[in-house]
Amino acid sequence: MAHEPIGTLDFHNLGFSYTKTKWNYLSRWRDGKWDDGILRNEDTLTIACTSTCLHYGQEAFEGMKAYRRKDGKIQLFRPDENAKRLQRSCERLLMPPISVERFLQAVTAVVRANAEFVPPHDSGASLYIRPYVLGVGDNMGVRPAKEYLFGVVCTPVGAYFKGGLSPVNFIVTDLDRAAPNGTGQVKVGGNYGASLYPHEAAKEKGFADCIYLDPTTHTKIDEAGSANFFAITRTGKLVTPKSSSILPSITQMSIMEIARRNLGMETAEQDIFIDRLDDYAEAGACGTAAAISPIGGIEYHGKMHVFHSLTEVGPVTKRLYELLTGIQYGDVPAPEGWIFPVDESNSLK
Ligand SMILES: Cc1ncc(COP(=O)(O)O)c(C=O)c1O
């Protein structure tokens, strides 16, 4: 597949689909070690039909973004946290972990090599980066693979909210995406396979996505299919669900910190009961894709609970969104260690 000529890309009107960029990274683990890895143009893989990633879900991935600052420079947001989460995912699936250093080298090499695809500052768009680890090679039984691939591919994606931050609605599903002591805390393919059906069912009914309840009691909010949940109590505290089956979100961790540092708010991880939504003045979903999506309402057992408003974003959610995206795009000072600059000279290619 040829990459899109840059001149034909309208960075202001991109969605979240894949546009081929020029370079992606690939490294192979064989005989107990990772090779040096290369940058390559080809964006397809040839792997054995019996690869464990295809049959047994021995696959993990990450999702992160590169942002263009006002001064034209490019930066990553807390990429070391993505690296550490990928390590935890690999460990859970018995895959060889990638060191934080190697992860950062591969990601920055891919971003530098595709710098022309990092959208301009004022577009609200960004370069989405997808690191992944796959179990590959001949293998028929249910056992870990003998070989692995670590790849990094990227694509420009559009601003999630074009023309203003507007609330979206969610519906509670009866289905679970992860078991109580299963793989919900790591970012592995199987969790997402399980989320496709409830996600599509929610979309068909006109909702942005579904909300999963805790898989043990089905009484507390867990998260959405690809975002964490947060709420602002009527006393002004930022709360997020405490659960062993949700993915620890880097965005969520960051807005908790921003709420404490920049807004002087109290924060807590606690149970959020689905029949106590009246306790909350505002609610939202947070994750790399949209940063923050204000939640207008949640439908549960046929009844719609409206938080702040179905049409207007609440004041705290708006402020958190402005601060978070301001930090990501380099307009607001970041706490120490959150920003990782990518300079455009490239050593790997
Ligand atoms: C299931 C799930 N929860 C939460 C998140 C948000 O995590 P992050 O903020 O690290 O993107 C994601 C996206 O990665 C996700 O897939």
Side-chain angles (χ1 to χ4, degrees):
M1 186 183 167
H3 70 81
E4 199 78 27
I6 285 289
T8 66
L9 270 179
D10 177 1
F11 285 120
H12 291 262
N13 281 304
L14 287 172
F16 200 88
S17 53
Y18 176 63
T19 302
K20 186 182 183 320
T21 48
K22 278 190 184 161
W23 301 97
N24 67 89
Y25 172 88
L26 194 65
S27 168
R28 181 177 289 270
W29 189 89
R30 197 184 264 155
D31 300 328
K33 58 178 191 308
W34 290 106
D35 68 16
D36 287 341
I38 51 160
L39 282 178
R40 57 202 281 274
N41 289 121
E42 186 57 54
D43 65 345
T44 57
L45 296 172
T46 302
I47 57 172
C49 298
T50 49
S51 292
T52 56
C53 65
L54 298 176
H55 301 270
Y56 306 129
Q58 202 186 19
E59 186 272 346
F61 65 100
E62 272 304 319
M64 52 201 290
K65 285 177 171 175
Y67 305 87
R68 178 82 66 184
R69 299 164 50 95
K70 213 177 251 160
D71 62 10
K73 294 194 172 130
I74 300 169
Q75 63 184 31
L76 300 168
F77 178 71
R78 310 191 77 176
D80 49 325
E81 294 295 338
N82 294 94
K84 288 188 268 176
R85 191 167 64 188
L86 185 62
Q87 287 185 334
R88 296 196 295 273
S89 301
C90 287
E91 276 159 22
R92 179 65 177 83
L93 296 194
L94 290 179
M95 303 199 286
I98 320 293
S99 70
V100 172
E101 195 187 12
R102 172 179 289 270
F103 179 95
L104 294 177
Q105 262 175 359
V107 167
T108 48
V110 167
V111 175
R112 277 192 211 116
N114 293 296
E116 64 202 288
F117 291 91
V118 182
H121 180 78
D122 68 350
S123 63
S126 53
L127 186 75
Y128 184 80
I129 307 159
R130 169 56 56 84
Y132 58 88
V133 182
L134 310 176
V136 296
D138 296 337
N139 193 342
M140 195 48 90
V142 183
R143 65 178 82 92
K146 294 198 190 79
E147 290 185 20
Y148 295 87
L149 295 177
F150 165 46
V152 181
V153 63
C154 66
T155 188
V157 293
Y160 204 85
F161 295 103
K162 296 185 178 73
L165 191 58
S166 39
V168 290
N169 300 327
F170 286 69
I171 183 168
V172 174
T173 175
D174 294 337
L175 300 172
D176 298 324
R177 66 179 274 284
N181 294 317
T183 54
Q185 280 195 331
V186 287
K187 201 162 169 68
V188 299
N191 296 341
Y192 295 83
S195 74
L196 294 176
Y197 179 90
H199 173 76
E200 285 307 311
K203 294 283 277 189
E204 264 174 35
K205 289 185 189 148
F207 294 90
D209 201 346
C210 58
I211 293 276
Y212 294 93
L213 299 181
D214 73 287
T216 309
T217 67
H218 290 134
T219 58
K220 299 173 270 184
I221 290 187
D222 237 7
E223 65 177 332
S226 56
N228 270 189
F229 178 86
F230 70 88
I232 315 295
T233 65
R234 295 205 177 274
T235 55
K237 186 159 130 186
L238 171 60
V239 296
T240 57
K242 190 174 171 60
S243 166
S244 63
S245 47
I246 65 179
L247 186 76
S249 154
I250 296 158
T251 316
Q252 186 251 77
M253 194 175 27
S254 306
I255 63 170
M256 299 278 271
E257 180 83 25
I258 290 169
R260 288 189 294 265
R261 276 174 175 250
N262 298 57
L263 303 179
M265 290 172 67
E266 238 189 280
T267 64
E269 252 186 278
Q270 64 183 49
D271 291 337
I272 300 181
F273 290 95
I274 190 65
D275 61 358
R276 295 285 303 272
L277 296 184
D278 272 339
D279 293 351
Y280 306 100
E282 297 178 37
C286 62
T288 296
I292 289 176
S293 310
I295 299 182
I298 294 182
E299 186 176 305
Y300 177 54
H301 287 168
K303 273 174 70 184
M304 184 70 153
H305 174 89
V306 178
F307 291 97
H308 176 74
S309 149
L310 287 178
T311 51
E312 302 288 322
V313 55
V316 181
T317 306
K318 182 161 184 280
R319 199 68 199 109
L320 287 169
Y321 178 84
E322 287 165 352
L323 288 166
L324 173 69
T325 54
I327 289 171
Q328 290 171 331
Y329 283 90
D331 298 326
V332 170
E336 180 144 3
W338 281 21
I339 294 302
F340 197 91
V342 177
D343 79 60
E344 295 190 25
S345 62
N346 179 32
S347 53
L348 242 184
K349 199 163 64 188

